[in-house]
Amino acid sequence: MGFGQLPFFWVIFRANSGVTILRSDIGQGTINEVSLEINVPILLLILPLVGCSMSDDKTIIAEFGTFQPPKRKAACLIQYNGANLGKRYQLGEQKTVVGRTPESHLFVNEASVSRQHAAISPGTAGFEIEDLGSSNGTFINDAKVAARTMLKDGDMIRLGTILFRYFATDNPESIMADKIYRMATIDAGTDIFNKKYLLDALESEMKFARQYQRPLSIIYYDLDHFKKVNDTLGHNGGDVVLRETATVCKATIRKKDVLGRYGGEEFVIVLPDTDQKVAAELAERLRVSIMNHVFKINLDGKTVEHKQTMSLGVSQMTPDMQTIESFLESADKKLYQSKQTGRNKVTV
């Protein structure tokens, strides 16, 4: 098989004395990491395996310039394993509590992490970490934290089984990890979460809601008559409608809510700690916001104004919903009812 047929690329960069290779399978949204202990100069490559084959008889000579990261200094943690592999968590001027409860500033829904596991606080010389009496301990580079400890750039932090790497400032590795995380989790057409991330998040929230007896609701919505939009405004116009709809909805929901593209013009919003009544009120606000929004589409050199509506179904998780599929099916049936009874409405 030629390289041009393989749906992945490699990202290679140096970390301390080793080389980290990330293989990103775009189609499946997965990232696999291999570390090699090779002492080499700093290397930052993105090698897309497109249009190349083993039989190519020409060697392409690549000239490497100096990598220029954005000019900003922001301490952060990058998660190195678990469900949010590659996710960046920005550290601010206030203390950041890391734990397994939604009230934590940095919420990690993993069984090995305590409810309030550790705290990271800004100090005069940088950020310091302290354990908060966790069951499984807090470790820096495999050394257990017994007292408040200053973090150094590149430190590996372990909370239970979850690994983070601390970066005192932005650098090529932290920026690349952020880009890879976005590529694996974000839908390029709408700039919201993709289906894989959405389903993973829903499964995680369902487990959490059962464990802590918290309400959990979802909104399942669909853009009305979207085929007609593509037929009259073209696929570029349809893309604008999809993207702007997602932007309006994203601006309306809370930070902890998860908005994802389920497929085509169908979207799902996961609402932690939300009962059906509150979810229905949010769904109605979303419906009105989209109905009143004016989409401006460039069509054959002219700006065309378009109005769009959507139909929504709202469902709260009940004890008999043991799978993601059963939960989604409940909301999908209500969405179908909205479409069958006139569209542009919310069904609960």
PDB file of all heavy atoms in Angstrom, residues 189-212:
ATOM      1  N   GLY A 189     -15.912  21.447  10.197  1.00  0.00           N
ATOM      2  CA  GLY A 189     -16.915  22.251   9.510  1.00  0.00           C
ATOM      3  C   GLY A 189     -17.680  23.205  10.405  1.00  0.00           C
ATOM      4  O   GLY A 189     -18.187  24.228   9.947  1.00  0.00           O
ATOM      5  N   THR A 190     -17.777  22.886  11.705  1.00  0.00           N
ATOM      6  CA  THR A 190     -18.593  23.692  12.612  1.00  0.00           C
ATOM      7  C   THR A 190     -17.820  24.240  13.807  1.00  0.00           C
ATOM      8  O   THR A 190     -18.335  25.061  14.553  1.00  0.00           O
ATOM      9  CB  THR A 190     -19.771  22.860  13.145  1.00  0.00           C
ATOM     10  OG1 THR A 190     -19.250  21.670  13.771  1.00  0.00           O
ATOM     11  CG2 THR A 190     -20.715  22.464  12.021  1.00  0.00           C
ATOM     12  N   ASP A 191     -16.603  23.754  14.023  1.00  0.00           N
ATOM     13  CA  ASP A 191     -15.751  24.179  15.144  1.00  0.00           C
ATOM     14  C   ASP A 191     -16.377  23.846  16.503  1.00  0.00           C
ATOM     15  O   ASP A 191     -16.179  24.551  17.486  1.00  0.00           O
ATOM     16  CB  ASP A 191     -15.444  25.679  15.064  1.00  0.00           C
ATOM     17  CG  ASP A 191     -14.191  26.046  15.869  1.00  0.00           C
ATOM     18  OD1 ASP A 191     -13.262  25.231  15.907  1.00  0.00           O
ATOM     19  OD2 ASP A 191     -14.158  27.148  16.462  1.00  0.00           O
ATOM     20  N   ILE A 192     -17.150  22.759  16.536  1.00  0.00           N
ATOM     21  CA  ILE A 192     -17.633  22.222  17.802  1.00  0.00           C
ATOM     22  C   ILE A 192     -17.152  20.776  17.889  1.00  0.00           C
ATOM     23  O   ILE A 192     -16.478  20.278  16.982  1.00  0.00           O
ATOM     24  CB  ILE A 192     -19.171  22.302  17.909  1.00  0.00           C
ATOM     25  CG1 ILE A 192     -19.834  21.513  16.764  1.00  0.00           C
ATOM     26  CG2 ILE A 192     -19.637  23.749  17.912  1.00  0.00           C
ATOM     27  CD1 ILE A 192     -21.345  21.429  16.882  1.00  0.00           C
ATOM     28  N   PHE A 193     -17.479  20.080  18.971  1.00  0.00           N
ATOM     29  CA  PHE A 193     -16.977  18.727  19.157  1.00  0.00           C
ATOM     30  C   PHE A 193     -17.535  17.762  18.102  1.00  0.00           C
ATOM     31  O   PHE A 193     -18.658  17.915  17.631  1.00  0.00           O
ATOM     32  CB  PHE A 193     -17.319  18.208  20.551  1.00  0.00           C
ATOM     33  CG  PHE A 193     -16.553  18.900  21.647  1.00  0.00           C
ATOM     34  CD1 PHE A 193     -17.211  19.672  22.585  1.00  0.00           C
ATOM     35  CD2 PHE A 193     -15.174  18.795  21.713  1.00  0.00           C
ATOM     36  CE1 PHE A 193     -16.514  20.320  23.589  1.00  0.00           C
ATOM     37  CE2 PHE A 193     -14.462  19.441  22.720  1.00  0.00           C
ATOM     38  CZ  PHE A 193     -15.123  20.208  23.652  1.00  0.00           C
ATOM     39  N   ASN A 194     -16.701  16.772  17.744  1.00  0.00           N
ATOM     40  CA  ASN A 194     -17.127  15.783  16.764  1.00  0.00           C
ATOM     41  C   ASN A 194     -17.904  14.650  17.443  1.00  0.00           C
ATOM     42  O   ASN A 194     -18.072  14.634  18.671  1.00  0.00           O
ATOM     43  CB  ASN A 194     -15.924  15.241  15.978  1.00  0.00           C
ATOM     44  CG  ASN A 194     -14.886  14.568  16.873  1.00  0.00           C
ATOM     45  OD1 ASN A 194     -15.181  14.118  17.986  1.00  0.00           O
ATOM     46  ND2 ASN A 194     -13.648  14.488  16.388  1.00  0.00           N
ATOM     47  N   LYS A 195     -18.375  13.718  16.644  1.00  0.00           N
ATOM     48  CA  LYS A 195     -19.248  12.666  17.159  1.00  0.00           C
ATOM     49  C   LYS A 195     -18.547  11.787  18.184  1.00  0.00           C
ATOM     50  O   LYS A 195     -19.145  11.430  19.212  1.00  0.00           O
ATOM     51  CB  LYS A 195     -19.762  11.805  15.998  1.00  0.00           C
ATOM     52  CG  LYS A 195     -20.751  10.725  16.429  1.00  0.00           C
ATOM     53  CD  LYS A 195     -21.300   9.960  15.237  1.00  0.00           C
ATOM     54  CE  LYS A 195     -22.299   8.904  15.674  1.00  0.00           C
ATOM     55  NZ  LYS A 195     -22.876   8.179  14.509  1.00  0.00           N
ATOM     56  N   LYS A 196     -17.297  11.450  17.950  1.00  0.00           N
ATOM     57  CA  LYS A 196     -16.579  10.577  18.883  1.00  0.00           C
ATOM     58  C   LYS A 196     -16.451  11.231  20.255  1.00  0.00           C
ATOM     59  O   LYS A 196     -16.722  10.615  21.281  1.00  0.00           O
ATOM     60  CB  LYS A 196     -15.190  10.226  18.346  1.00  0.00           C
ATOM     61  CG  LYS A 196     -14.421   9.273  19.259  1.00  0.00           C
ATOM     62  CD  LYS A 196     -13.046   8.961  18.732  1.00  0.00           C
ATOM     63  CE  LYS A 196     -12.361   7.910  19.600  1.00  0.00           C
ATOM     64  NZ  LYS A 196     -12.292   8.306  21.031  1.00  0.00           N
ATOM     65  N   TYR A 197     -16.039  12.488  20.264  1.00  0.00           N
ATOM     66  CA  TYR A 197     -15.905  13.177  21.546  1.00  0.00           C
ATOM     67  C   TYR A 197     -17.270  13.294  22.219  1.00  0.00           C
ATOM     68  O   TYR A 197     -17.390  13.104  23.434  1.00  0.00           O
ATOM     69  CB  TYR A 197     -15.299  14.566  21.353  1.00  0.00           C
ATOM     70  CG  TYR A 197     -15.068  15.296  22.657  1.00  0.00           C
ATOM     71  CD1 TYR A 197     -13.839  15.235  23.299  1.00  0.00           C
ATOM     72  CD2 TYR A 197     -16.101  16.014  23.264  1.00  0.00           C
ATOM     73  CE1 TYR A 197     -13.632  15.877  24.506  1.00  0.00           C
ATOM     74  CE2 TYR A 197     -15.900  16.651  24.474  1.00  0.00           C
ATOM     75  CZ  TYR A 197     -14.667  16.585  25.088  1.00  0.00           C
ATOM     76  OH  TYR A 197     -14.473  17.220  26.294  1.00  0.00           O
ATOM     77  N   LEU A 198     -18.288  13.630  21.439  1.00  0.00           N
ATOM     78  CA  LEU A 198     -19.641  13.772  21.974  1.00  0.00           C
ATOM     79  C   LEU A 198     -20.105  12.501  22.670  1.00  0.00           C
ATOM     80  O   LEU A 198     -20.601  12.538  23.808  1.00  0.00           O
ATOM     81  CB  LEU A 198     -20.602  14.129  20.839  1.00  0.00           C
ATOM     82  CG  LEU A 198     -22.086  14.143  21.166  1.00  0.00           C
ATOM     83  CD1 LEU A 198     -22.423  15.291  22.106  1.00  0.00           C
ATOM     84  CD2 LEU A 198     -22.921  14.221  19.890  1.00  0.00           C
ATOM     85  N   LEU A 199     -19.936  11.358  22.007  1.00  0.00           N
ATOM     86  CA  LEU A 199     -20.390  10.087  22.587  1.00  0.00           C
ATOM     87  C   LEU A 199     -19.561   9.701  23.806  1.00  0.00           C
ATOM     88  O   LEU A 199     -20.101   9.172  24.789  1.00  0.00           O
ATOM     89  CB  LEU A 199     -20.343   8.985  21.531  1.00  0.00           C
ATOM     90  CG  LEU A 199     -21.293   9.171  20.343  1.00  0.00           C
ATOM     91  CD1 LEU A 199     -21.171   8.012  19.371  1.00  0.00           C
ATOM     92  CD2 LEU A 199     -22.738   9.329  20.812  1.00  0.00           C
ATOM     93  N   ASP A 200     -18.260   9.959  23.759  1.00  0.00           N
ATOM     94  CA  ASP A 200     -17.408   9.684  24.924  1.00  0.00           C
ATOM     95  C   ASP A 200     -17.839  10.538  26.114  1.00  0.00           C
ATOM     96  O   ASP A 200     -17.903  10.068  27.254  1.00  0.00           O
ATOM     97  CB  ASP A 200     -15.940   9.957  24.593  1.00  0.00           C
ATOM     98  CG  ASP A 200     -15.334   8.907  23.677  1.00  0.00           C
ATOM     99  OD1 ASP A 200     -15.966   7.836  23.515  1.00  0.00           O
ATOM    100  OD2 ASP A 200     -14.251   9.158  23.125  1.00  0.00           O
ATOM    101  N   ALA A 201     -18.118  11.814  25.841  1.00  0.00           N
ATOM    102  CA  ALA A 201     -18.539  12.724  26.913  1.00  0.00           C
ATOM    103  C   ALA A 201     -19.888  12.304  27.480  1.00  0.00           C
ATOM    104  O   ALA A 201     -20.103  12.335  28.704  1.00  0.00           O
ATOM    105  CB  ALA A 201     -18.606  14.152  26.385  1.00  0.00           C
ATOM    106  N   LEU A 202     -20.814  11.900  26.605  1.00  0.00           N
ATOM    107  CA  LEU A 202     -22.132  11.467  27.069  1.00  0.00           C
ATOM    108  C   LEU A 202     -22.025  10.221  27.939  1.00  0.00           C
ATOM    109  O   LEU A 202     -22.672  10.132  29.002  1.00  0.00           O
ATOM    110  CB  LEU A 202     -23.045  11.210  25.868  1.00  0.00           C
ATOM    111  CG  LEU A 202     -24.470  10.749  26.191  1.00  0.00           C
ATOM    112  CD1 LEU A 202     -25.177  11.742  27.108  1.00  0.00           C
ATOM    113  CD2 LEU A 202     -25.272  10.536  24.904  1.00  0.00           C
ATOM    114  N   GLU A 203     -21.219   9.276  27.509  1.00  0.00           N
ATOM    115  CA  GLU A 203     -21.034   8.059  28.312  1.00  0.00           C
ATOM    116  C   GLU A 203     -20.457   8.393  29.683  1.00  0.00           C
ATOM    117  O   GLU A 203     -20.910   7.870  30.708  1.00  0.00           O
ATOM    118  CB  GLU A 203     -20.109   7.090  27.573  1.00  0.00           C
ATOM    119  CG  GLU A 203     -19.889   5.784  28.318  1.00  0.00           C
ATOM    120  CD  GLU A 203     -19.002   4.825  27.545  1.00  0.00           C
ATOM    121  OE1 GLU A 203     -18.111   5.289  26.812  1.00  0.00           O
ATOM    122  OE2 GLU A 203     -19.202   3.603  27.680  1.00  0.00           O
ATOM    123  N   SER A 204     -19.468   9.270  29.710  1.00  0.00           N
ATOM    124  CA  SER A 204     -18.846   9.665  30.972  1.00  0.00           C
ATOM    125  C   SER A 204     -19.839  10.372  31.882  1.00  0.00           C
ATOM    126  O   SER A 204     -19.908  10.097  33.090  1.00  0.00           O
ATOM    127  CB  SER A 204     -17.642  10.578  30.678  1.00  0.00           C
ATOM    128  OG  SER A 204     -17.053  11.027  31.869  1.00  0.00           O
ATOM    129  N   GLU A 205     -20.639  11.265  31.318  1.00  0.00           N
ATOM    130  CA  GLU A 205     -21.616  12.007  32.124  1.00  0.00           C
ATOM    131  C   GLU A 205     -22.729  11.100  32.627  1.00  0.00           C
ATOM    132  O   GLU A 205     -23.249  11.300  33.738  1.00  0.00           O
ATOM    133  CB  GLU A 205     -22.205  13.160  31.310  1.00  0.00           C
ATOM    134  CG  GLU A 205     -21.238  14.290  31.020  1.00  0.00           C
ATOM    135  CD  GLU A 205     -20.758  15.020  32.261  1.00  0.00           C
ATOM    136  OE1 GLU A 205     -21.391  14.866  33.341  1.00  0.00           O
ATOM    137  OE2 GLU A 205     -19.748  15.742  32.164  1.00  0.00           O
ATOM    138  N   MET A 206     -23.100  10.083  31.849  1.00  0.00           N
ATOM    139  CA  MET A 206     -24.127   9.145  32.302  1.00  0.00           C
ATOM    140  C   MET A 206     -23.630   8.355  33.510  1.00  0.00           C
ATOM    141  O   MET A 206     -24.365   8.166  34.488  1.00  0.00           O
ATOM    142  CB  MET A 206     -24.529   8.199  31.167  1.00  0.00           C
ATOM    143  CG  MET A 206     -25.345   8.879  30.073  1.00  0.00           C
ATOM    144  SD  MET A 206     -25.763   7.770  28.688  1.00  0.00           S
ATOM    145  CE  MET A 206     -26.979   6.683  29.473  1.00  0.00           C
ATOM    146  N   LYS A 207     -22.383   7.917  33.471  1.00  0.00           N
ATOM    147  CA  LYS A 207     -21.803   7.189  34.601  1.00  0.00           C
ATOM    148  C   LYS A 207     -21.745   8.082  35.834  1.00  0.00           C
ATOM    149  O   LYS A 207     -22.066   7.655  36.949  1.00  0.00           O
ATOM    150  CB  LYS A 207     -20.402   6.700  34.240  1.00  0.00           C
ATOM    151  CG  LYS A 207     -20.369   5.584  33.209  1.00  0.00           C
ATOM    152  CD  LYS A 207     -18.936   5.193  32.884  1.00  0.00           C
ATOM    153  CE  LYS A 207     -18.888   4.092  31.834  1.00  0.00           C
ATOM    154  NZ  LYS A 207     -17.486   3.756  31.468  1.00  0.00           N
ATOM    155  N   PHE A 208     -21.333   9.315  35.621  1.00  0.00           N
ATOM    156  CA  PHE A 208     -21.208  10.250  36.742  1.00  0.00           C
ATOM    157  C   PHE A 208     -22.565  10.559  37.340  1.00  0.00           C
ATOM    158  O   PHE A 208     -22.730  10.624  38.567  1.00  0.00           O
ATOM    159  CB  PHE A 208     -20.530  11.536  36.261  1.00  0.00           C
ATOM    160  CG  PHE A 208     -20.222  12.501  37.372  1.00  0.00           C
ATOM    161  CD1 PHE A 208     -19.053  12.376  38.103  1.00  0.00           C
ATOM    162  CD2 PHE A 208     -21.104  13.521  37.683  1.00  0.00           C
ATOM    163  CE1 PHE A 208     -18.775  13.259  39.131  1.00  0.00           C
ATOM    164  CE2 PHE A 208     -20.831  14.408  38.710  1.00  0.00           C
ATOM    165  CZ  PHE A 208     -19.650  14.279  39.435  1.00  0.00           C
ATOM    166  N   ALA A 209     -23.574  10.770  36.494  1.00  0.00           N
ATOM    167  CA  ALA A 209     -24.916  11.095  36.980  1.00  0.00           C
ATOM    168  C   ALA A 209     -25.490   9.945  37.811  1.00  0.00           C
ATOM    169  O   ALA A 209     -26.144  10.174  38.837  1.00  0.00           O
ATOM    170  CB  ALA A 209     -25.831  11.409  35.796  1.00  0.00           C
ATOM    171  N   ARG A 210     -25.252   8.705  37.381  1.00  0.00           N
ATOM    172  CA  ARG A 210     -25.726   7.546  38.152  1.00  0.00           C
ATOM    173  C   ARG A 210     -25.012   7.466  39.495  1.00  0.00           C
ATOM    174  O   ARG A 210     -25.635   7.229  40.533  1.00  0.00           O
ATOM    175  CB  ARG A 210     -25.490   6.256  37.371  1.00  0.00           C
ATOM    176  CG  ARG A 210     -26.382   6.056  36.168  1.00  0.00           C
ATOM    177  CD  ARG A 210     -26.296   4.633  35.663  1.00  0.00           C
ATOM    178  NE  ARG A 210     -26.742   4.528  34.289  1.00  0.00           N
ATOM    179  CZ  ARG A 210     -25.925   4.511  33.234  1.00  0.00           C
ATOM    180  NH1 ARG A 210     -24.620   4.564  33.415  1.00  0.00           N
ATOM    181  NH2 ARG A 210     -26.398   4.419  32.013  1.00  0.00           N
ATOM    182  N   GLN A 211     -23.694   7.652  39.464  1.00  0.00           N
ATOM    183  CA  GLN A 211     -22.887   7.495  40.669  1.00  0.00           C
ATOM    184  C   GLN A 211     -23.239   8.526  41.739  1.00  0.00           C
ATOM    185  O   GLN A 211     -23.324   8.203  42.926  1.00  0.00           O
ATOM    186  CB  GLN A 211     -21.405   7.599  40.316  1.00  0.00           C
ATOM    187  CG  GLN A 211     -20.464   7.378  41.501  1.00  0.00           C
ATOM    188  CD  GLN A 211     -19.011   7.419  41.082  1.00  0.00           C
ATOM    189  OE1 GLN A 211     -18.688   7.556  39.900  1.00  0.00           O
ATOM    190  NE2 GLN A 211     -18.116   7.293  42.048  1.00  0.00           N
ATOM    191  N   TYR A 212     -23.474   9.758  41.319  1.00  0.00           N
ATOM    192  CA  TYR A 212     -23.706  10.839  42.281  1.00  0.00           C
ATOM    193  C   TYR A 212     -25.164  11.306  42.323  1.00  0.00           C
ATOM    194  O   TYR A 212     -25.463  12.326  42.945  1.00  0.00           O
ATOM    195  CB  TYR A 212     -22.783  12.022  41.955  1.00  0.00           C
ATOM    196  CG  TYR A 212     -21.323  11.695  42.182  1.00  0.00           C
ATOM    197  CD1 TYR A 212     -20.511  11.332  41.120  1.00  0.00           C
ATOM    198  CD2 TYR A 212     -20.777  11.735  43.458  1.00  0.00           C
ATOM    199  CE1 TYR A 212     -19.176  11.022  41.324  1.00  0.00           C
ATOM    200  CE2 TYR A 212     -19.443  11.428  43.676  1.00  0.00           C
ATOM    201  CZ  TYR A 212     -18.643  11.072  42.605  1.00  0.00           C
ATOM    202  OH  TYR A 212     -17.322  10.762  42.810  1.00  0.00           O
TER     203      TYR A 212
END
